[in-house]
PDB file of all heavy atoms in Angstrom:
ATOM      1  N   LEU A   1      28.462   1.219  -5.893  1.00 90.00           N
ATOM      2  CA  LEU A   1      27.779   2.118  -4.987  1.00 90.00           C
ATOM      3  C   LEU A   1      27.473   3.452  -5.649  1.00 90.00           C
ATOM      4  O   LEU A   1      26.349   3.971  -5.577  1.00 90.00           O
ATOM      5  CB  LEU A   1      28.598   2.330  -3.719  1.00 90.00           C
ATOM      6  CG  LEU A   1      28.037   3.360  -2.716  1.00 90.00           C
ATOM      7  CD1 LEU A   1      26.724   2.844  -2.157  1.00 90.00           C
ATOM      8  CD2 LEU A   1      29.016   3.593  -1.615  1.00 90.00           C
ATOM      9  N   GLY A   2      28.450   4.012  -6.348  1.00 88.00           N
ATOM     10  CA  GLY A   2      28.233   5.281  -7.058  1.00 88.00           C
ATOM     11  C   GLY A   2      27.171   5.153  -8.125  1.00 88.00           C
ATOM     12  O   GLY A   2      26.316   6.043  -8.282  1.00 88.00           O
ATOM     13  N   LEU A   3      27.190   4.070  -8.866  1.00 88.00           N
ATOM     14  CA  LEU A   3      26.192   3.856  -9.909  1.00 88.00           C
ATOM     15  C   LEU A   3      24.788   3.722  -9.312  1.00 88.00           C
ATOM     16  O   LEU A   3      23.851   4.358  -9.776  1.00 88.00           O
ATOM     17  CB  LEU A   3      26.535   2.601 -10.724  1.00 88.00           C
ATOM     18  CG  LEU A   3      25.560   2.226 -11.813  1.00 88.00           C
ATOM     19  CD1 LEU A   3      25.575   3.250 -12.918  1.00 88.00           C
ATOM     20  CD2 LEU A   3      25.851   0.841 -12.366  1.00 88.00           C
ATOM     21  N   LEU A   4      24.647   2.915  -8.274  1.00 89.00           N
ATOM     22  CA  LEU A   4      23.328   2.731  -7.655  1.00 89.00           C
ATOM     23  C   LEU A   4      22.839   4.003  -6.995  1.00 89.00           C
ATOM     24  O   LEU A   4      21.668   4.341  -7.052  1.00 89.00           O
ATOM     25  CB  LEU A   4      23.391   1.570  -6.650  1.00 89.00           C
ATOM     26  CG  LEU A   4      23.614   0.195  -7.257  1.00 89.00           C
ATOM     27  CD1 LEU A   4      23.749  -0.854  -6.163  1.00 89.00           C
ATOM     28  CD2 LEU A   4      22.508  -0.185  -8.216  1.00 89.00           C
ATOM     29  N   TRP A   5      23.739   4.739  -6.361  1.00 86.00           N
ATOM     30  CA  TRP A   5      23.368   5.996  -5.723  1.00 86.00           C
ATOM     31  C   TRP A   5      22.910   7.006  -6.773  1.00 86.00           C
ATOM     32  O   TRP A   5      21.927   7.699  -6.634  1.00 86.00           O
ATOM     33  CB  TRP A   5      24.557   6.537  -4.949  1.00 86.00           C
ATOM     34  CG  TRP A   5      24.237   7.684  -4.014  1.00 86.00           C
ATOM     35  CD1 TRP A   5      23.318   8.671  -4.166  1.00 86.00           C
ATOM     36  CD2 TRP A   5      24.837   7.933  -2.763  1.00 86.00           C
ATOM     37  NE1 TRP A   5      23.339   9.527  -3.110  1.00 86.00           N
ATOM     38  CE2 TRP A   5      24.260   9.097  -2.226  1.00 86.00           C
ATOM     39  CE3 TRP A   5      25.853   7.302  -2.046  1.00 86.00           C
ATOM     40  CZ2 TRP A   5      24.659   9.646  -1.025  1.00 86.00           C
ATOM     41  CZ3 TRP A   5      26.226   7.843  -0.841  1.00 86.00           C
ATOM     42  CH2 TRP A   5      25.640   8.989  -0.331  1.00 86.00           C
ATOM     43  N   GLY A   6      23.646   7.081  -7.867  1.00 84.00           N
ATOM     44  CA  GLY A   6      23.299   7.997  -8.936  1.00 84.00           C
ATOM     45  C   GLY A   6      21.990   7.664  -9.617  1.00 84.00           C
ATOM     46  O   GLY A   6      21.265   8.545 -10.085  1.00 84.00           O
ATOM     47  N   LEU A   7      21.659   6.376  -9.710  1.00 86.00           N
ATOM     48  CA  LEU A   7      20.415   5.962 -10.361  1.00 86.00           C
ATOM     49  C   LEU A   7      19.225   6.023  -9.415  1.00 86.00           C
ATOM     50  O   LEU A   7      18.087   5.878  -9.868  1.00 86.00           O
ATOM     51  CB  LEU A   7      20.547   4.547 -10.932  1.00 86.00           C
ATOM     52  CG  LEU A   7      21.500   4.393 -12.123  1.00 86.00           C
ATOM     53  CD1 LEU A   7      21.640   2.944 -12.506  1.00 86.00           C
ATOM     54  CD2 LEU A   7      21.000   5.215 -13.300  1.00 86.00           C
ATOM     55  N   ASN A   8      19.459   6.222  -8.146  1.00 87.00           N
ATOM     56  CA  ASN A   8      18.373   6.239  -7.164  1.00 87.00           C
ATOM     57  C   ASN A   8      17.344   7.319  -7.458  1.00 87.00           C
ATOM     58  O   ASN A   8      16.141   7.078  -7.464  1.00 87.00           O
ATOM     59  CB  ASN A   8      18.964   6.415  -5.761  1.00 87.00           C
ATOM     60  CG  ASN A   8      17.888   6.467  -4.685  1.00 87.00           C
ATOM     61  OD1 ASN A   8      16.950   5.699  -4.718  1.00 87.00           O
ATOM     62  ND2 ASN A   8      18.028   7.385  -3.772  1.00 87.00           N
ATOM     63  N   TRP A   9      17.789   8.551  -7.715  1.00 81.00           N
ATOM     64  CA  TRP A   9      16.873   9.665  -7.927  1.00 81.00           C
ATOM     65  C   TRP A   9      15.999   9.444  -9.168  1.00 81.00           C
ATOM     66  O   TRP A   9      14.774   9.555  -9.079  1.00 81.00           O
ATOM     67  CB  TRP A   9      17.619  10.975  -8.004  1.00 81.00           C
ATOM     68  CG  TRP A   9      16.737  12.166  -8.038  1.00 81.00           C
ATOM     69  CD1 TRP A   9      16.096  12.752  -6.979  1.00 81.00           C
ATOM     70  CD2 TRP A   9      16.389  12.921  -9.187  1.00 81.00           C
ATOM     71  NE1 TRP A   9      15.364  13.830  -7.423  1.00 81.00           N
ATOM     72  CE2 TRP A   9      15.513  13.939  -8.771  1.00 81.00           C
ATOM     73  CE3 TRP A   9      16.715  12.825 -10.542  1.00 81.00           C
ATOM     74  CZ2 TRP A   9      14.983  14.868  -9.647  1.00 81.00           C
ATOM     75  CZ3 TRP A   9      16.166  13.766 -11.399  1.00 81.00           C
ATOM     76  CH2 TRP A   9      15.318  14.765 -10.940  1.00 81.00           C
ATOM     77  N   PRO A  10      16.568   9.134 -10.341  1.00 83.00           N
ATOM     78  CA  PRO A  10      15.694   8.917 -11.489  1.00 83.00           C
ATOM     79  C   PRO A  10      14.806   7.701 -11.319  1.00 83.00           C
ATOM     80  O   PRO A  10      13.660   7.700 -11.794  1.00 83.00           O
ATOM     81  CB  PRO A  10      16.634   8.754 -12.680  1.00 83.00           C
ATOM     82  CG  PRO A  10      18.007   8.731 -12.141  1.00 83.00           C
ATOM     83  CD  PRO A  10      17.980   9.147 -10.723  1.00 83.00           C
ATOM     84  N   ALA A  11      15.293   6.678 -10.636  1.00 87.00           N
ATOM     85  CA  ALA A  11      14.453   5.485 -10.448  1.00 87.00           C
ATOM     86  C   ALA A  11      13.241   5.788  -9.576  1.00 87.00           C
ATOM     87  O   ALA A  11      12.130   5.337  -9.854  1.00 87.00           O
ATOM     88  CB  ALA A  11      15.289   4.343  -9.806  1.00 87.00           C
ATOM     89  N   VAL A  12      13.429   6.580  -8.539  1.00 88.00           N
ATOM     90  CA  VAL A  12      12.316   6.970  -7.678  1.00 88.00           C
ATOM     91  C   VAL A  12      11.322   7.836  -8.457  1.00 88.00           C
ATOM     92  O   VAL A  12      10.097   7.670  -8.334  1.00 88.00           O
ATOM     93  CB  VAL A  12      12.808   7.688  -6.418  1.00 88.00           C
ATOM     94  CG1 VAL A  12      11.681   8.353  -5.660  1.00 88.00           C
ATOM     95  CG2 VAL A  12      13.551   6.721  -5.519  1.00 88.00           C
ATOM     96  N   LYS A  13      11.825   8.738  -9.284  1.00 84.00           N
ATOM     97  CA  LYS A  13      10.938   9.585 -10.100  1.00 84.00           C
ATOM     98  C   LYS A  13      10.104   8.734 -11.063  1.00 84.00           C
ATOM     99  O   LYS A  13       8.894   8.922 -11.152  1.00 84.00           O
ATOM    100  CB  LYS A  13      11.763  10.596 -10.922  1.00 84.00           C
ATOM    101  CG  LYS A  13      12.259  11.744 -10.143  1.00 84.00           C
ATOM    102  CD  LYS A  13      11.133  12.708  -9.899  1.00 84.00           C
ATOM    103  CE  LYS A  13      11.670  14.023  -9.375  1.00 84.00           C
ATOM    104  NZ  LYS A  13      10.640  14.943  -9.042  1.00 84.00           N
ATOM    105  N   VAL A  14      10.756   7.821 -11.760  1.00 87.00           N
ATOM    106  CA  VAL A  14      10.054   6.962 -12.722  1.00 87.00           C
ATOM    107  C   VAL A  14       9.028   6.108 -11.984  1.00 87.00           C
ATOM    108  O   VAL A  14       7.866   5.981 -12.422  1.00 87.00           O
ATOM    109  CB  VAL A  14      11.046   6.103 -13.514  1.00 87.00           C
ATOM    110  CG1 VAL A  14      10.340   5.023 -14.305  1.00 87.00           C
ATOM    111  CG2 VAL A  14      11.861   6.974 -14.463  1.00 87.00           C
ATOM    112  N   ALA A  15       9.423   5.520 -10.869  1.00 91.00           N
ATOM    113  CA  ALA A  15       8.484   4.663 -10.114  1.00 91.00           C
ATOM    114  C   ALA A  15       7.311   5.451  -9.604  1.00 91.00           C
ATOM    115  O   ALA A  15       6.151   5.003  -9.713  1.00 91.00           O
ATOM    116  CB  ALA A  15       9.248   3.969  -8.982  1.00 91.00           C
ATOM    117  N   SER A  16       7.546   6.614  -8.992  1.00 85.00           N
ATOM    118  CA  SER A  16       6.448   7.370  -8.406  1.00 85.00           C
ATOM    119  C   SER A  16       5.500   7.898  -9.491  1.00 85.00           C
ATOM    120  O   SER A  16       4.276   7.862  -9.312  1.00 85.00           O
ATOM    121  CB  SER A  16       6.976   8.502  -7.546  1.00 85.00           C
ATOM    122  OG  SER A  16       7.713   9.413  -8.304  1.00 85.00           O
ATOM    123  N   LEU A  17       6.046   8.370 -10.611  1.00 86.00           N
ATOM    124  CA  LEU A  17       5.169   8.831 -11.679  1.00 86.00           C
ATOM    125  C   LEU A  17       4.386   7.688 -12.312  1.00 86.00           C
ATOM    126  O   LEU A  17       3.244   7.852 -12.715  1.00 86.00           O
ATOM    127  CB  LEU A  17       5.991   9.583 -12.736  1.00 86.00           C
ATOM    128  CG  LEU A  17       6.524  10.933 -12.298  1.00 86.00           C
ATOM    129  CD1 LEU A  17       7.451  11.525 -13.364  1.00 86.00           C
ATOM    130  CD2 LEU A  17       5.425  11.908 -11.969  1.00 86.00           C
ATOM    131  N   SER A  18       5.010   6.524 -12.390  1.00 92.00           N
ATOM    132  CA  SER A  18       4.300   5.352 -12.941  1.00 92.00           C
ATOM    133  C   SER A  18       3.158   4.943 -12.030  1.00 92.00           C
ATOM    134  O   SER A  18       2.046   4.654 -12.498  1.00 92.00           O
ATOM    135  CB  SER A  18       5.266   4.174 -13.138  1.00 92.00           C
ATOM    136  OG  SER A  18       6.260   4.516 -14.067  1.00 92.00           O
ATOM    137  N   ILE A  19       3.416   4.907 -10.731  1.00 95.00           N
ATOM    138  CA  ILE A  19       2.377   4.537  -9.782  1.00 95.00           C
ATOM    139  C   ILE A  19       1.244   5.548  -9.806  1.00 95.00           C
ATOM    140  O   ILE A  19       0.072   5.196  -9.803  1.00 95.00           O
ATOM    141  CB  ILE A  19       2.957   4.371  -8.363  1.00 95.00           C
ATOM    142  CG1 ILE A  19       3.861   3.144  -8.316  1.00 95.00           C
ATOM    143  CG2 ILE A  19       1.859   4.279  -7.304  1.00 95.00           C
ATOM    144  CD1 ILE A  19       4.707   3.026  -7.061  1.00 95.00           C
ATOM    145  N   ALA A  20       1.591   6.838  -9.850  1.00 92.00           N
ATOM    146  CA  ALA A  20       0.558   7.883  -9.911  1.00 92.00           C
ATOM    147  C   ALA A  20      -0.263   7.793 -11.189  1.00 92.00           C
ATOM    148  O   ALA A  20      -1.498   7.943 -11.176  1.00 92.00           O
ATOM    149  CB  ALA A  20       1.222   9.264  -9.831  1.00 92.00           C
ATOM    150  N   SER A  21       0.396   7.488 -12.319  1.00 90.00           N
ATOM    151  CA  SER A  21      -0.319   7.359 -13.580  1.00 90.00           C
ATOM    152  C   SER A  21      -1.274   6.165 -13.546  1.00 90.00           C
ATOM    153  O   SER A  21      -2.421   6.262 -14.005  1.00 90.00           O
ATOM    154  CB  SER A  21       0.673   7.174 -14.737  1.00 90.00           C
ATOM    155  OG  SER A  21       1.500   8.289 -14.840  1.00 90.00           O
ATOM    156  N   LEU A  22      -0.809   5.055 -13.012  1.00 95.00           N
ATOM    157  CA  LEU A  22      -1.684   3.868 -12.935  1.00 95.00           C
ATOM    158  C   LEU A  22      -2.856   4.118 -11.970  1.00 95.00           C
ATOM    159  O   LEU A  22      -3.971   3.675 -12.237  1.00 95.00           O
ATOM    160  CB  LEU A  22      -0.874   2.649 -12.494  1.00 95.00           C
ATOM    161  CG  LEU A  22       0.103   2.113 -13.513  1.00 95.00           C
ATOM    162  CD1 LEU A  22       0.974   1.011 -12.926  1.00 95.00           C
ATOM    163  CD2 LEU A  22      -0.613   1.623 -14.750  1.00 95.00           C
ATOM    164  N   ALA A  23      -2.610   4.835 -10.875  1.00 95.00           N
ATOM    165  CA  ALA A  23      -3.699   5.141  -9.936  1.00 95.00           C
ATOM    166  C   ALA A  23      -4.723   6.052 -10.604  1.00 95.00           C
ATOM    167  O   ALA A  23      -5.929   5.854 -10.447  1.00 95.00           O
ATOM    168  CB  ALA A  23      -3.129   5.793  -8.673  1.00 95.00           C
ATOM    169  N   LEU A  24      -4.253   7.053 -11.353  1.00 92.00           N
ATOM    170  CA  LEU A  24      -5.161   7.943 -12.071  1.00 92.00           C
ATOM    171  C   LEU A  24      -5.986   7.195 -13.114  1.00 92.00           C
ATOM    172  O   LEU A  24      -7.190   7.383 -13.223  1.00 92.00           O
ATOM    173  CB  LEU A  24      -4.382   9.077 -12.735  1.00 92.00           C
ATOM    174  CG  LEU A  24      -5.192  10.042 -13.588  1.00 92.00           C
ATOM    175  CD1 LEU A  24      -6.212  10.782 -12.724  1.00 92.00           C
ATOM    176  CD2 LEU A  24      -4.256  11.047 -14.250  1.00 92.00           C
ATOM    177  N   LEU A  25      -5.316   6.296 -13.829  1.00 93.00           N
ATOM    178  CA  LEU A  25      -6.019   5.482 -14.836  1.00 93.00           C
ATOM    179  C   LEU A  25      -7.075   4.601 -14.154  1.00 93.00           C
ATOM    180  O   LEU A  25      -8.218   4.544 -14.623  1.00 93.00           O
ATOM    181  CB  LEU A  25      -5.012   4.633 -15.597  1.00 93.00           C
ATOM    182  CG  LEU A  25      -5.620   3.675 -16.637  1.00 93.00           C
ATOM    183  CD1 LEU A  25      -6.302   4.461 -17.732  1.00 93.00           C
ATOM    184  CD2 LEU A  25      -4.531   2.784 -17.197  1.00 93.00           C
ATOM    185  N   ALA A  26      -6.726   3.947 -13.063  1.00 95.00           N
ATOM    186  CA  ALA A  26      -7.680   3.085 -12.370  1.00 95.00           C
ATOM    187  C   ALA A  26      -8.863   3.876 -11.837  1.00 95.00           C
ATOM    188  O   ALA A  26     -10.022   3.462 -11.946  1.00 95.00           O
ATOM    189  CB  ALA A  26      -6.966   2.351 -11.217  1.00 95.00           C
ATOM    190  N   PHE A  27      -8.583   5.058 -11.273  1.00 95.00           N
ATOM    191  CA  PHE A  27      -9.642   5.898 -10.741  1.00 95.00           C
ATOM    192  C   PHE A  27     -10.586   6.343 -11.845  1.00 95.00           C
ATOM    193  O   PHE A  27     -11.817   6.304 -11.705  1.00 95.00           O
ATOM    194  CB  PHE A  27      -9.026   7.119 -10.033  1.00 95.00           C
ATOM    195  CG  PHE A  27     -10.034   8.074  -9.488  1.00 95.00           C
ATOM    196  CD1 PHE A  27     -10.733   7.774  -8.311  1.00 95.00           C
ATOM    197  CD2 PHE A  27     -10.293   9.267 -10.124  1.00 95.00           C
ATOM    198  CE1 PHE A  27     -11.668   8.654  -7.800  1.00 95.00           C
ATOM    199  CE2 PHE A  27     -11.227  10.173  -9.614  1.00 95.00           C
ATOM    200  CZ  PHE A  27     -11.922   9.842  -8.461  1.00 95.00           C
ATOM    201  N   THR A  28     -10.008   6.796 -12.966  1.00 93.00           N
ATOM    202  CA  THR A  28     -10.821   7.293 -14.072  1.00 93.00           C
ATOM    203  C   THR A  28     -11.675   6.174 -14.669  1.00 93.00           C
ATOM    204  O   THR A  28     -12.865   6.353 -14.910  1.00 93.00           O
ATOM    205  CB  THR A  28      -9.910   7.905 -15.163  1.00 93.00           C
ATOM    206  OG1 THR A  28      -9.161   8.961 -14.564  1.00 93.00           O
ATOM    207  CG2 THR A  28     -10.711   8.434 -16.328  1.00 93.00           C
ATOM    208  N   LEU A  29     -11.071   5.026 -14.939  1.00 94.00           N
ATOM    209  CA  LEU A  29     -11.816   3.920 -15.503  1.00 94.00           C
ATOM    210  C   LEU A  29     -12.838   3.356 -14.522  1.00 94.00           C
ATOM    211  O   LEU A  29     -13.910   2.932 -14.919  1.00 94.00           O
ATOM    212  CB  LEU A  29     -10.853   2.814 -15.975  1.00 94.00           C
ATOM    213  CG  LEU A  29      -9.907   3.207 -17.107  1.00 94.00           C
ATOM    214  CD1 LEU A  29      -8.966   2.055 -17.445  1.00 94.00           C
ATOM    215  CD2 LEU A  29     -10.676   3.659 -18.350  1.00 94.00           C
ATOM    216  N   GLY A  30     -12.524   3.389 -13.235  1.00 95.00           N
ATOM    217  CA  GLY A  30     -13.454   2.936 -12.205  1.00 95.00           C
ATOM    218  C   GLY A  30     -14.697   3.794 -12.129  1.00 95.00           C
ATOM    219  O   GLY A  30     -15.776   3.310 -11.763  1.00 95.00           O
ATOM    220  N   ARG A  31     -14.583   5.047 -12.475  1.00 95.00           N
ATOM    221  CA  ARG A  31     -15.737   5.951 -12.494  1.00 95.00           C
ATOM    222  C   ARG A  31     -16.433   5.974 -13.836  1.00 95.00           C
ATOM    223  O   ARG A  31     -17.354   6.750 -14.058  1.00 95.00           O
ATOM    224  CB  ARG A  31     -15.299   7.362 -12.123  1.00 95.00           C
ATOM    225  CG  ARG A  31     -14.774   7.438 -10.704  1.00 95.00           C
ATOM    226  CD  ARG A  31     -14.513   8.821 -10.279  1.00 95.00           C
ATOM    227  NE  ARG A  31     -15.777   9.567 -10.209  1.00 95.00           N
ATOM    228  CZ  ARG A  31     -15.885  10.876 -10.186  1.00 95.00           C
ATOM    229  NH1 ARG A  31     -14.794  11.603 -10.194  1.00 95.00           N
ATOM    230  NH2 ARG A  31     -17.046  11.463 -10.125  1.00 95.00           N
TER     231      ARG A  31
END
């Protein structure tokens, strides 16, 4: 529980930045 709780914050940061990066890439290439 402690390990998963501690990894939650960095995992959310990595996931959200990855999704934002892919969305930016798709938008840019789409245009």
Side-chain angles (χ1 to χ4, degrees):
L1 175 65
L3 178 68
L4 293 176
W5 192 326
L7 291 175
N8 179 42
W9 187 79
V12 168
K13 283 284 193 184
V14 168
S16 62
L17 290 174
S18 297
I19 291 169
S21 298
L22 290 173
L24 177 61
L25 177 64
F27 178 76
T28 301
L29 296 177
R31 295 187 65 196

